[in-house]
Amino acid sequence: MEKAITVIFLSCAAGIAFAKTYKLEGTVGGQYPIVIELEESNGLFFGKYAYKSTLLKNGNLDCSWLGISPSYENPGTKWDIRDCQSEPEETWYNVTFTDGKRLTCKMKNNKGKVYDIVATVTESSVSSPSLIAHFKSHIGESALDFVMFSDPSIGGRLEDMMGVNNFNYMTSIYQTQGGIEYTKAMFWGSGFVAHECCDPATVWAYDSDNDSFYVWIRQDGQDYWWSESGSIPYKFKELVSANF
């Protein structure tokens, strides 16, 4: 296998389901101004929000924002909110998004305090195609069940990120495999060579927080990592460690 390195590869995926994007402004508890950025695919919302005071103080950095993803207990009306390390911070519930113009919900923070959130859409558009709804529709299926690696919007990006030889090697490992799961805003799957658990083995993940793929491969006791975003986040390392 070619020597694996972490690379920066920025791309706009050719997509499967078009998404709508929204920018909103509002308040928490009627007094703390916030900004929200959302993407909607097939009724599911992902995105981020930040307090204006935090952006003013710290700048527009990743950790100035909190991530938004639907709770799979009740994705339509309940959202999970995480910090930049993907640790749970808040729950938004009783979420309503009226005519794509006004968002209202209750927010419960990790101290148990409850606030009202009200926000109004300031901008909206049809975005680049999204993979979020696509992966959501295949939860529980293996990558080979829906020929994931043959899809140019997925396999093409992985091949560009890893190189042709490493990509082909990864797909050859997928003999014994699990279904797609969702953890900390990542859709992911794993596989290993039949009767040789767990070397070689591999895990891939699609991070809905930043539209990036990550891949890990173990071969002959050596770990190899790839990332479209240019770094391997702790949450992906934690995921790999928990499963292999």
Side-chain angles (χ1 to χ4, degrees), residues 216-229:
W216 164 85
I217 291 177
R218 174 179 292 152
Q219 181 190 27
D220 298 329
Q222 187 79 21
D223 290 339
Y224 301 87
W225 305 84
W226 293 264
S227 169
E228 279 188 312
S229 65

Side-chain angles (χ1 to χ4, degrees), residues 72 134-141 179-182 187-188:
Y72 281 92
H134 181 62
F135 282 124
K136 172 63 172 64
S137 70
H138 291 292
I139 291 287
E141 299 178 30
I180 290 178
E181 299 185 45
Y182 179 83
F187 298 93
W188 63 278

Side-chain angles (χ1 to χ4, degrees), residues 105-242:
C105 67
K106 295 284 188 181
M107 180 263 274
K108 184 177 182 180
N109 64 24
N110 56 15
K111 295 181 180 179
K113 293 184 177 182
V114 177
Y115 299 91
D116 289 312
I117 291 180
V118 178
T120 302
V121 173
T122 58
E123 297 179 37
S124 64
S125 63
V126 176
S127 73
S128 302
S130 171
L131 292 173
I132 292 170
H134 181 62
F135 282 124
K136 172 63 172 64
S137 70
H138 291 292
I139 291 287
E141 299 178 30
S142 72
L144 297 186
D145 286 338
F146 63 105
V147 291
M148 183 184 105
F149 298 126
S150 299
D151 189 317
S153 64
I154 301 172
R157 287 176 65 174
L158 294 173
E159 186 176 290
D160 285 337
M161 178 179 71
M162 304 174 68
V164 175
N165 290 343
N166 290 335
F167 172 74
N168 289 339
Y169 180 70
M170 180 192 71
T171 59
S172 75
I173 294 173
Y174 271 83
Q175 298 177 19
T176 300
Q177 57 189 296
I180 290 178
E181 299 185 45
Y182 179 83
T183 303
K184 292 186 176 181
M186 295 182 295
F187 298 93
W188 63 278
S190 62
F192 56 88
V193 173
H195 312 300
E196 294 185 27
C197 181
C198 292
D199 188 344
T202 185
V203 177
W204 65 269
Y206 174 74
D207 191 342
S208 64
D209 277 343
N210 60 9
D211 182 32
S212 290
F213 280 100
Y214 315 123
V215 171
W216 164 85
I217 291 177
R218 174 179 292 152
Q219 181 190 27
D220 298 329
Q222 187 79 21
D223 290 339
Y224 301 87
W225 305 84
W226 293 264
S227 169
E228 279 188 312
S229 65
S231 62
I232 306 296
Y234 175 75
K235 64 181 181 179
F236 182 60
K237 294 179 181 179
E238 187 179 47
L239 176 68
V240 170
S241 177

